[in-house]
Amino acid sequence: MTEHQWMMSDKPDDEGDPSLLVQTRPKTKRPPLYKVLLLNDDYTPMEFVVHVLERFFGMTHAEAFEIMLTVHKKGVAVVGVFSHEIAETKVGQVMDFARRHQHPLQCTMEREE
């Protein structure tokens, strides 16, 4: 093989090797996302809900206040969408924090469709 032939064979052609196509186009499925929901109750103070939203979901006071009003008026609100592990962690943090402060606040998660 001459040097010129070697260089040409080293250069990928447009059709490509089928094994290379598999490597360049992996069909990785995105992991499902989960909505974290805050549920209304008649006992947890509105200020506490605002504090939870600021602390655990990084919301500004204004954002947290709006979401708290949605929870209060509609009974439930989505407070974030995360991977399963992060959603589970957030739910646990909120529930633990509420229990430590003796509030019945409920936080759940459900798979996003």
Side-chain angles (χ1 to χ4, degrees):
M1 186 182 280
T2 69
E3 187 177 330
H4 180 68
Q5 287 174 321
W6 177 80
M7 287 175 66
M8 287 192 59
S9 66
D10 193 40
K11 200 171 107 182
D13 59 12
D14 290 336
E15 281 79 51
D17 181 345
S19 66
L20 291 178
L21 290 175
V22 173
Q23 291 174 2
T24 56
R25 294 188 314 170
K27 290 287 184 193
T28 51
K29 195 173 167 190
R30 296 184 91 182
L33 293 176
Y34 290 80
K35 296 184 281 193
V36 174
L37 307 161
L38 219 47
L39 308 176
N40 189 42
D41 65 74
D42 294 332
Y43 305 100
T44 304
M46 291 179 176
E47 301 80 36
F48 184 79
V49 175
V50 169
H51 179 68
V52 162
L53 293 168
E54 291 170 343
R55 179 173 178 160
F56 298 106
F57 298 94
M59 294 182 188
T60 65
H61 187 75
E63 290 168 336
F65 192 81
E66 285 298 314
I67 296 287
M68 176 277 298
L69 285 178
T70 301
V71 172
H72 182 68
K73 291 175 185 170
K74 295 189 175 181
V76 64
V78 175
V79 296
V81 179
F82 308 96
S83 69
H84 185 271
E85 293 77 17
I86 293 174
E88 203 169 49
T89 299
K90 298 264 185 204
V91 168
Q93 288 173 329
V94 170
M95 295 296 287
D96 289 347
F97 191 69
R99 295 299 155 264
R100 282 201 311 271
H101 290 85
Q102 300 176 343
H103 295 302
L105 183 64
Q106 293 293 304
C107 185
T108 62
M109 60 188 266
E110 65 181 40
R111 189 173 172 153
E112 189 176 51
E113 297 302 323

